[in-house]
Amino acid sequence: MVNCPLCNAAIDVDEEDLDAGDSLICEECGANLNVSGTSPLELEPDKEDDDDDEDDLDDDDVDDDDEDDDDEDDDDAWK
């Protein structure tokens, strides 16, 4: 058994069936993980998954700006 490097949840896998470079998904937090070592078993977050998270944050920032514009329009309606 090995723990998720992000949320520390126990991941129940057959360590003998895994090789370096294999992928897993943490059932607790949903993170994509890669096997970085097999003796002992080591997992690391998928680097491509991290890139996607950064893109999501950028998209959220744009949405927040749009919401601020809507608030200003509502203020004008009250005047």
Side-chain angles (χ1 to χ4, degrees), residues 13 27 34 51 65 70 75:
V13 294
E27 293 180 14
N34 290 323
D51 293 342
D65 291 341
D70 292 340
D75 292 340

Side-chain angles (χ1 to χ4, degrees), residues 4 11 13 16-17 20 22 33 39-40 44 55 57 59 71 73:
C4 173
I11 300 175
V13 294
E16 295 174 3
D17 290 342
D22 285 351
L33 306 170
S39 185
E44 64 181 19
D55 292 342
L57 292 176
D59 292 343
D71 292 340
D73 293 340

Side-chain angles (χ1 to χ4, degrees), residues 7-78:
C7 72
N8 206 34
I11 300 175
D12 188 22
V13 294
D14 189 356
E15 296 180 22
E16 295 174 3
D17 290 342
L18 295 174
D19 294 315
D22 285 351
S23 297
L24 299 172
I25 295 177
C26 175
E27 293 180 14
E28 188 70 28
C29 69
N32 293 320
L33 306 170
N34 290 323
V35 176
S36 59
T38 57
S39 185
L41 183 61
E42 296 178 12
L43 300 176
E44 64 181 19
D46 184 11
K47 292 182 177 155
E48 291 180 13
D49 192 34
D50 290 343
D51 293 342
D52 292 343
D53 290 343
E54 290 176 11
D55 292 342
D56 291 343
L57 292 176
D58 292 342
D59 292 343
D60 289 343
D61 291 342
V62 171
D63 292 341
D64 290 342
D65 291 341
D66 292 341
E67 290 175 12
D68 291 341
D69 292 342
D70 292 340
D71 292 340
E72 291 173 10
D73 293 340
D74 292 341
D75 292 340
D76 292 339
W78 290 100

